[in-house]
């Protein structure tokens, strides 16, 4: 049942990644790019929702790990903070506002990234920081093969999206730019859904391993819990072995 549930999660996210762009494409056809390629449109809303959910699931996974005393778990906190920051950026176009309002008008570029349009290096810096923290994050999910695979797919898609976003739009025609930006937004959605799937599968494995019908299992050794819950009767209570023999004799009579 657990394997089937995990497969259902992956299938649902895959269908979502295909259905959402298709619906947005049809809804605005023939101006199909309007709700996909631009900022602060339904596509970016869906992206932000996926990231918010991924952050919430990461926090829940951290809580379960902490309560069950499962380590390492610090990566879940990093994921929750990172997903929250990315969700805010998607929803309110934060880095686009900084780029277009502050950096681009002043022609600000990084010395070694002269081929990138002015101001477009912000996401490159964010991606570099994420890659530096990647080993800490992977430690929390590497024990789950499917979760690790989905997270790797998310990282690969994010790298592609950052690279596409950094291309100077002035080097392409308007039609080509619409296609490129639409594909970039789709890739960002797929990356967010991959992250959501990864942390969800990891949470499901944590719940399966450490949560009982009565709640989250006590991390203390089972022998210790049994000894505490059912202490051995003292000799005074039943008169030691003789007391047990007396009780047995009385029951026979």
């Amino acid at each position: 049942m657990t394997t089937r549930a995990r497969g259902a999660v992956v299938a649902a996210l895959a269908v979502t990644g295909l259905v959402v762009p298709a619906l947005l494409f049809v809804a605005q056809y023939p101006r199909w790019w309007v709700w996909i390629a631009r900022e602060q449109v339904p596509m970016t809303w869906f992206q932000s929702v996926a990231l918010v959910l991924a952050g919430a699931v990461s926090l829940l996974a951290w809580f379960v790990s902490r309560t069950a005393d499962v380590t390492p778990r610090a990566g879940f906190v990093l994921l929750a903070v990172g997903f929250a920051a990315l969700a805010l950026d998607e929803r309110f176009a934060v880095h686009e506002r900084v780029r277009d309002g502050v950096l681009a008008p002043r022609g600000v570029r990084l010395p070694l990234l002269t081929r990138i349009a002015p101001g477009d290096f912000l996401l490159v810096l964010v991606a570099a920081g994420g890659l530096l923290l990647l080993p800490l994050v992977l430690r929390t999910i590497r024990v789950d093969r499917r979760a690790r695979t989905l997270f790797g797919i998310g990282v690969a898609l994010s790298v592609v999206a950052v690279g596409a976003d950094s291309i100077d739009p002035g080097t392409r025609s308007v039609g080509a730019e619409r296609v490129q930006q639409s594909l970039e937004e789709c890739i960002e959605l797929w990356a967010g859904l991959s992250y959501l799937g990864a942390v969800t599968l990891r949470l499901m494995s944590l719940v399966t391993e450490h949560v009982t019908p009565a709640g989250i299992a006590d991390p203390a050794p089972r022998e210790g819990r049994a000894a505490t819950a059912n202490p051995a009767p003292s000799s005074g209570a039943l008169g030691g072995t003789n007391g047990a023999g007396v009780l047995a004799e009385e029951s026979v009579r």
Side-chain angles (χ1 to χ4, degrees):
M1 182 61 71
T2 302
T3 302
R4 184 177 301 176
R6 287 162 63 89
V9 168
V10 175
L13 293 175
V15 171
T16 301
L18 296 175
V19 170
V20 168
L23 290 178
L24 297 181
F25 180 95
V26 172
Q28 288 293 318
Y29 190 83
R31 302 179 70 244
W32 49 268
W33 67 88
V34 173
W35 278 2
I36 301 177
R38 295 180 177 178
E39 299 299 331
Q40 295 185 290
V41 292
M43 174 60 91
T44 53
W45 182 84
F46 277 110
Q47 293 169 351
S48 65
V49 168
L51 291 169
V52 167
L53 290 175
V57 173
S58 299
L59 275 182
L60 186 55
W62 171 83
F63 173 78
V64 174
S65 300
R66 181 177 182 274
T67 306
D69 197 23
V70 177
T71 56
R73 56 178 176 265
F76 289 127
V77 178
L78 292 175
L79 287 175
V81 173
F83 290 147
L86 291 174
L88 288 173
D89 182 67
E90 286 293 347
R91 183 64 185 88
F92 301 107
V94 176
H95 87 270
E96 288 87 356
R97 295 176 187 274
V98 174
R99 177 193 64 196
D100 298 336
V102 179
L103 301 177
R106 294 169 174 78
V108 179
R109 298 174 183 263
L110 289 182
L112 300 178
L113 300 174
T114 54
R115 292 187 178 183
I116 296 179
D120 271 340
F121 58 83
L122 290 176
L123 280 185
V124 175
L125 296 180
V126 171
L131 291 175
L132 289 176
L133 296 174
L134 189 58
L136 295 177
V137 172
L138 287 177
R139 290 177 61 193
T140 61
I141 63 174
R142 66 183 178 185
V143 296
D144 190 314
R145 182 177 59 82
R146 286 193 177 183
R148 185 175 68 245
T149 300
L150 279 178
F151 196 86
I153 292 173
V155 171
L157 291 172
S158 297
V159 170
V160 172
V162 170
D165 184 75
S166 302
I167 298 175
D168 190 345
T171 60
R172 301 182 302 273
S173 64
V174 174
E177 181 182 354
R178 289 171 180 169
V179 172
Q180 182 267 324
Q181 289 184 344
S182 297
L183 288 175
E184 175 195 331
E185 297 299 331
C186 289
I187 291 173
E188 290 182 17
L189 175 64
W190 298 335
L193 293 174
S194 297
Y195 292 135
L196 176 57
V199 294
T200 300
L201 293 187
R202 183 65 185 117
L203 174 62
M204 293 174 72
S205 64
L206 286 170
V207 170
T208 302
E209 296 166 5
H210 301 284
V211 176
T212 68
I216 298 179
D218 189 344
R222 184 178 300 274
E223 294 78 10
R225 293 201 302 272
T228 305
N230 301 300
S234 64
S235 59
L238 294 177
T241 359
N242 295 332
V246 171
L247 288 178
E249 184 179 354
E250 290 294 333
S251 63
V252 171
R253 293 178 183 174

